[in-house]
Amino acid sequence: MKFEGGCYCGEVRYVAEGEPLTKAQCHCRECQYLTGGHPNVILGMPKDGFTYTRGEPARFSRKDVEQPRTREFCQQCGTHLTTHSPNLPTGVFVKVGSMDDPSVYGKPAVVIQTADAQAFHHIPEDASTHERWAK
Ligand SMILES: [Zn+2]
Ligand SMILES: [Zn+2]
């Protein structure tokens, strides 16, 4: 598949191409901060098919944890675009909300970190669910 996306203000744009590596929904506490309260929905895309076509994102990695993720976001409007994780060394997690057409995501295949799920979160019944990370 091939799709384009970017941030809310249009300053940062990207194109992603390749076979998706994973379609996930993550309920961890960290994701709740980053989305404003809900789980994150992410599409794992091959790193070599992902390119920024406009602007440059800001990057943040925690210094106080082992194996921190690096999150990329627009420094102007704050929209989260991707996460780079040691769990997916050949790929990049694209935030579905940043895709020009989020509907192509469909539904998550894997739901992780449900141990942190809140009562107001929705977990699709037909997904593979995991209290912590999927093995
Ligand atoms: Zn922006
Ligand atoms: Zn998470």
Side-chain angles (χ1 to χ4, degrees):
M1 72 189 291
K2 181 178 183 179
F3 61 88
E4 294 182 34
C7 66
Y8 181 57
C9 78
E11 189 72 17
V12 185
R13 297 280 306 161
Y14 64 77
V15 59
E17 186 167 14
E19 278 305 304
L21 305 166
T22 179
K23 278 171 46 163
Q25 171 169 308
C26 181
H27 290 263
C28 79
R29 184 67 185 94
E30 288 79 3
C31 282
Q32 294 174 34
Y33 278 106
L34 299 168
T35 63
H38 268 125
N40 246 321
V41 277
I42 47 180
L43 191 56
M45 293 297 289
K47 216 169 241 180
D48 57 12
F50 184 91
T51 318
Y52 283 105
T53 53
R54 181 189 164 143
E56 187 68 22
R59 297 182 171 87
F60 175 75
S61 310
R62 279 177 64 166
K63 303 278 185 272
D64 59 330
V65 295
E66 281 181 36
Q67 297 199 309
R69 281 69 175 140
T70 298
R71 303 180 192 282
E72 296 181 323
F73 51 94
C74 173
Q75 51 196 321
Q76 185 163 282
C77 72
T79 302
H80 275 255
L81 301 164
T82 75
T83 301
H84 292 262
S85 167
N87 290 343
L88 194 70
T90 61
V92 53
F93 289 115
V94 177
K95 304 292 169 72
V96 172
S98 72
M99 297 163 68
D100 285 349
D101 182 6
S103 74
V104 303
Y105 175 72
K107 289 162 75 174
V110 179
V111 177
I112 58 173
Q113 305 281 14
T114 59
D116 289 343
Q118 304 293 342
F120 50 84
H121 287 177
H122 173 72
I123 298 174
E125 278 170 15
D126 49 355
S128 161
T129 62
H130 305 264
E131 281 201 5
R132 288 300 174 193
W133 301 109
K135 291 282 182 278

